[in-house]
Amino acid sequence: MIDRTFDAIAFHILNIIDEYSGECLAILVKRRITSHDVIVQISDLFIVRGISEHISSDNGTVFAAKAVRSWLNRLDVKRLCIEPGSPWENGYIESFNGKLRDELLDR
């Protein structure tokens, strides 16, 4: 998710949602989110909650990065990709992102 500060500087938000419970597991906000940032966030969650069977994500550059793909492959975690332009395939995160934008960012 991308938004801008009042002075038009972009920032990125990585939201990690548990599709089963609907719980937001992590939110990372940075000017730029790298594949290393994604690996750190997910590995912290794997330590606390156990390794997932699969992860659903869009095909954004961070999740499509070789580092993330090879790290998930080493852990035997399947990566389920959402087709570009098909937000209905991942309604949980789209709903969460919309509520986050409405209730927090658009104030």
Side-chain angles (χ1 to χ4, degrees):
M1 176 176 191
I2 301 173
D3 208 339
R4 297 192 174 276
T5 58
F6 69 94
D7 54 353
I9 298 173
F11 63 92
H12 298 256
I13 303 173
L14 171 66
N15 296 313
I16 301 175
I17 307 295
D18 181 331
E19 288 184 4
Y20 180 75
S21 69
E23 177 185 4
C24 177
L25 304 177
I27 297 177
L28 175 67
V29 180
K30 291 180 82 172
R31 296 280 183 201
R32 182 173 173 264
I33 296 177
T34 66
S35 57
H36 176 75
D37 296 325
V38 171
I39 290 170
V40 168
Q41 286 295 304
I42 295 173
S43 65
D44 288 349
L45 290 170
F46 284 174
I47 290 167
V48 173
R49 301 177 72 94
I51 296 176
S52 298
E53 268 185 44
H54 69 275
I55 290 179
S56 298
S57 72
D58 62 15
N59 266 326
T61 55
V62 176
F63 276 102
K66 254 186 193 177
V68 173
R69 287 183 309 180
S70 60
W71 178 72
L72 290 172
N73 283 339
R74 284 194 306 272
L75 294 175
D76 201 27
V77 175
K78 292 171 185 60
R79 198 171 142 258
L80 307 175
C81 294
I82 307 306
E83 288 296 317
S86 303
W88 55 85
E89 288 186 17
N90 197 359
Y92 297 105
I93 194 67
E94 294 300 328
S95 175
F96 182 84
N97 287 346
K99 289 175 186 170
L100 180 71
R101 187 173 301 284
D102 290 345
E103 295 176 14
L104 181 67
L105 300 176
D106 287 346
R107 293 195 168 249

